Amino acid sequence: GESIASFYGWEANGIFQSQSEIDSHAKQSDGTSPGDIRFNDINNDDVIDDKDRTFIGNPHPDLNMNLTLDFEYKNFDLNLFFRSSFGNEVYDLTRYYSDFYNLSNYNKSSRITNAWSPSNTASEIPRLSLNDPNNNIRPSSYYVKDASFVRLQSLQMGYNMPENIIENLSLSRLRLYLNVQNVFVLTNYDGVDPEIGLQNNSSDSRNLDIGVDRAIYPPSRTFTLGLNVSF
């Protein structure tokens, strides 16, 4: 009943802070400890299992907006093109490899230096564990992040040469310009790029990978210097 490629898994609901919180919650595993992720008991049967998986996010935006601005002053001109997306979410799969020590053969994020511990209970990152008895690493809303953004997609600055210069060159127009693509992005998403679309893959199943951040290389910032010449 949800949009295609919606995210499905367990609802993460903070971090267990004490054994009493664990005892009063639905059973997750025999090894659940303070510092582990607490998952919601969707069907209220006091057991966290596959039946508690649910819709946890949507990669599709609620609103897309574009804005083009043109300015001219004497012989100078400036064009700005903004793109924006609001309400879209990303499933940050990079955290699967970088936030959990049971996947020990991958580089880890510096975030884990702030992982939960008895002296650091305000952390949103679960305790470090080599065997992960609570299965904190399972697909859940822990990975789902807001990816709304505003991107200055292009900026172009131009200068039209004065009439006396273009007449001497037997031209009707001579314009020098500098164009910059992918100037900056404003977003709360802490991954490399919030704009994760459908990734190129030959497998048909990957058509459901919209919004899944697998650490693909982000778009480059490019600079172009050019001339517009009219005879």
Side-chain angles (χ1 to χ4, degrees):
E2 302 293 343
S3 302
I4 189 170
S6 293
F7 308 136
Y8 184 74
W10 285 267
E11 285 184 351
N13 185 17
I15 301 288
F16 284 119
Q17 300 296 324
S18 65
Q19 186 61 45
S20 61
E21 286 187 14
I22 297 171
D23 294 340
S24 63
H25 188 265
K27 183 177 180 180
Q28 296 190 168
S29 78
D30 292 332
T32 302
S33 299
D36 284 329
I37 297 176
R38 178 174 54 236
F39 298 102
N40 285 340
D41 183 14
I42 299 299
N43 63 352
N44 295 314
D45 64 353
D46 289 328
V47 177
I48 304 300
D49 56 20
D50 287 352
K51 297 177 183 178
D52 295 302
R53 292 177 298 173
T54 186
F55 165 74
I56 55 175
N58 187 341
H60 306 291
D62 298 324
L63 177 67
N64 285 319
M65 295 179 63
N66 296 335
L67 175 65
T68 301
L69 299 174
D70 287 296
F71 302 94
E72 292 186 5
Y73 178 73
K74 295 184 178 180
N75 287 15
F76 294 93
D77 60 80
L78 176 66
N79 174 270
L80 304 172
F81 175 54
F82 293 88
R83 291 193 302 108
S84 62
S85 177
F86 300 97
N88 53 302
E89 294 171 309
V90 160
Y91 191 91
D92 187 2
L93 195 61
T94 65
R95 290 176 176 261
Y96 182 86
Y97 302 101
S98 63
D99 284 12
F100 299 94
Y101 258 96
N102 45 335
L103 292 176
S104 58
N105 55 329
Y106 291 93
N107 289 333
K108 302 306 170 187
S109 168
S110 60
R111 286 188 298 268
I112 65 172
T113 60
N114 189 43
W116 188 96
S117 69
S119 61
N120 186 37
T121 57
S123 177
E124 297 179 354
I125 300 172
R127 69 186 180 97
L128 302 182
S129 171
L130 290 175
N131 53 7
D132 191 18
N134 189 58
N135 195 17
N136 291 314
I137 204 170
R138 73 182 74 184
S140 74
S141 58
Y142 175 81
Y143 305 96
V144 179
K145 306 297 177 183
D146 175 39
S148 300
F149 68 89
V150 176
R151 184 190 301 271
L152 178 51
Q153 183 65 45
S154 68
L155 179 153
Q156 186 170 122
M157 298 175 288
Y159 178 73
N160 290 284
M161 297 297 178
E163 291 290 335
N164 61 325
I165 293 180
I166 62 175
E167 289 176 357
N168 290 335
L169 296 174
S170 300
L171 301 174
S172 62
R173 187 191 186 203
L174 179 61
R175 176 177 175 267
L176 176 69
Y177 69 88
L178 173 66
N179 183 277
V180 186
Q181 292 287 327
N182 193 27
V183 185
F184 63 77
V185 180
L186 301 177
T187 182
N188 288 326
Y189 181 57
D190 59 3
V192 175
D193 190 350
E195 192 171 13
I196 306 295
L198 177 62
Q199 298 180 36
N200 185 23
N201 194 290
S202 59
S203 172
D204 291 340
S205 65
R206 297 293 179 146
N207 291 334
L208 301 179
D209 254 7
I210 302 170
V212 178
D213 188 350
R214 298 177 180 272
I216 61 174
Y217 198 81
S220 301
R221 181 178 297 117
T222 59
F223 298 82
T224 305
L225 184 63
L227 282 173
N228 296 128
V229 180
S230 299
F231 296 94

